[in-house]
Each structure stands twice: as structure tokens, then as C-alpha cells.
Amino acid sequence: MLVFDKKAELTEYLTQQRQTGKLIGFVPTMGALHQGHLSLIEASLSQTDLTVCSIFVNPTQFNNPQDLEKYPRTLEKDRELLEKAGCQVLFCPGQQEMYPNVSYTNFSFGLLETVMEGYFRPGHFHGVGLVVSKLFHIVQPNLAFFGQKDLQQCRIIEQLAKDLFFNVSVVVVPTMREADGLAMSSRNVRLQPGERKEAAILYKVLQESANRLLAGEGVQEIKKAAERTLTNTTTGVRLEYFCIADGGTLQPVKDVQQHKQLALCVAGYVGEVRLIDNLLLEL
């Protein structure tokens, strides 16, 4: 596996590879890799000729400085995992390489960022848009792979690629889960043993809510029931939101008959760790 930390050197190498007709796949990450990330690498390896992974903890997408400080950084372990998985190229730039100057460009994604993560983490998707734009310009991939766990981020990046004419197909890969259903996340390592068990309630509620929707129950009744369960003091969850939304626009729905796909989304704190999850439901 080739490792680059300078964008000019990576760009030169990828230009040479592109000239030979190779299809380039890209998996942008913030490191602390787990099997969920490796499933993105596997998807890229199966669909492209050359897979590039980036590891960069992007400061502009953290609206909580403590969250940025506590974000796990395991570069050596990550390199070993990527090499074992068959990744061909790793790009791990420093902050000066990605942000050599103060950035004045500001991204706004309209209604896509007024709900859920965008509402509770103001400025977050500006930072995502900024760093992904930089990375797309540097790598110029044919396909870019993102995990469904960050569904709103996926929809934001799809819109970004469309609006800015990035010649890249955004591929959304299904969420990888632990045996009890908990979505794999770099943040899970921060959960205490008792909290780790409590965290499984998030996916359980998503599943129960999806079953009730398919059985014909009303959106508001299901939403209230899910919120009651997740705000019960015995669950150990401090709920931020539970939302039943359109799978494309991510706007809250009232009548499921008007939608082809629903997204059931949840976010909350278990201990000091903020977790998110979602489930897509085809109608």
C-alpha cells in the first residue's frame, strides 16, 4: 500500500494511474477504522481498479471542541487494517496540508441541513462539504463510497456532487452492525461496558417502529411510542431526536402513502457518547 501525506504527490500518482485507464474508488474517513469502514474498502475493491482511502480528522465539521479532542486517533492500527484489506493507496494529510489558509467559503444545503444532524449540530455540514470538496478535487475519483449510518451526510454529499458537477458517483453502502444490532462506529470504543449494552436499544426501536409502519400504524403514534421508549430513564439514552422522514429529502413525513422510501433516524447520548443510527424502509 502506498502512503501519501502531500496532495501534490498523490495527485501526480493518480494522474498517472488514470492515464492507464484505471477506475478510481475513494473512501474518505476520519480514521479509528472498524469493519464498517472496511466494508467500504471491500465495495470499492470490487467495483474499481484502484482504491484510495483518506484519513483526516476534519476540524471544521466539529461544532463541539471536546468532541474533536476526544475523537480516537489510531493511525498505525488503521494502516495495518487497510493494508490487510487490500487498499492500494492511503492519503493521510496533516491539517496544514488541508487547511493552509483560513477558509472563507461557506456551504449551505438548504432544507437538507435544517433537520436532524444539521439542526442539532449547526455548521457540521458546512465542514463536511468543505473537506469533501477538497478531497474530491485532490483524488478525482470515479466512485466514492460512504456508509449509510451517516445517511444525512450521504444525501448532503450526493447534492454536493450534483450541484458542483463533480464527475463522481456516490455509492451508499449498507450499515455494518454488531451482533446485537448496534451500528458500528468509531465512537463505540468510548462506551463503558454497561453503556455498550444500553446502546443496542437504538436499533431495536428503529426495527420496532419499521414493523409498526408496515403494519399500517400512524406516523405520529409510532413516533410518540419510540420517544417514550427512548426517554424512559431505564434505557440510559438521552434522546436528541427520533424522526420518520422521506428517504430522499429527509423531511419529516405525515402520510406514508405519499412516499416511496422512508428513513427512520435516531440520535442520542449514551453516557457521554453521541450515537446516531437509521433504517431505510421501502414502501
Side-chain angles (χ1 to χ4, degrees), residues 37-238:
H37 293 108
L38 298 183
S39 72
L40 304 182
I41 298 294
E42 291 167 8
S44 178
L45 289 170
S46 70
Q47 298 179 49
T48 66
D49 304 308
L50 182 69
T51 293
V52 181
C53 179
S54 67
I55 294 177
F56 177 67
V57 182
N58 176 40
T60 63
Q61 70 188 70
F62 286 85
N63 57 334
N64 183 341
Q66 291 184 340
D67 205 15
L68 172 61
E69 183 181 337
K70 292 179 180 178
Y71 196 87
R73 293 164 172 82
T74 57
L75 183 57
E76 288 307 311
K77 180 183 176 183
D78 292 344
R79 288 179 61 166
E80 292 175 8
L81 286 172
L82 288 171
E83 194 146 20
K84 187 175 180 181
C87 181
Q88 291 107 335
V89 178
L90 171 61
F91 180 47
C92 46
Q95 184 165 332
Q96 185 63 27
E97 188 70 10
M98 292 299 292
Y99 292 99
N101 307 298
V102 176
S103 297
Y104 293 102
T105 301
N106 189 51
F107 283 88
S108 173
F109 295 96
L111 290 176
L112 269 177
E113 67 171 350
T114 61
V115 294
M116 298 187 296
E117 295 300 287
Y119 179 83
F120 283 93
R121 302 178 68 187
H124 169 67
F125 287 121
H126 154 70
V128 169
L130 186 60
V131 77
V132 171
S133 293
K134 288 172 179 275
L135 289 167
F136 278 0
H137 278 300
I138 294 166
V139 178
Q140 297 180 37
N142 300 98
L143 288 84
F145 298 81
F146 296 86
Q148 184 190 311
K149 182 182 75 69
D150 298 294
L151 179 63
Q152 193 171 9
Q153 174 177 277
C154 292
R155 297 293 182 254
I156 290 282
I157 292 168
E158 288 169 344
Q159 191 67 43
L160 178 79
K162 179 181 177 181
D163 288 348
L164 297 186
F165 297 155
F166 283 115
N167 190 24
V168 57
S169 296
V170 176
V171 181
V172 180
V173 179
T175 303
M176 291 288 291
R177 299 186 178 279
E178 304 289 353
D180 61 359
L182 179 66
M184 291 185 179
S185 170
S186 301
R187 298 169 186 262
N188 291 352
V189 296
R190 293 173 51 201
L191 293 168
Q192 299 300 317
E195 295 169 348
R196 170 62 188 80
K197 291 181 180 179
E198 293 169 344
I201 190 67
L202 295 174
Y203 186 56
K204 183 179 179 181
V205 168
L206 288 173
Q207 286 183 306
E208 290 175 350
S209 299
N211 290 335
R212 294 174 68 173
L213 276 168
L214 291 173
E217 290 191 44
V219 169
Q220 291 306 314
E221 291 78 6
I222 295 171
K223 187 173 184 293
K224 288 177 182 177
E227 290 172 344
R228 279 197 302 270
T229 299
L230 291 168
T231 54
N232 187 314
T233 54
T234 62
T235 64
V237 176
R238 285 183 288 126

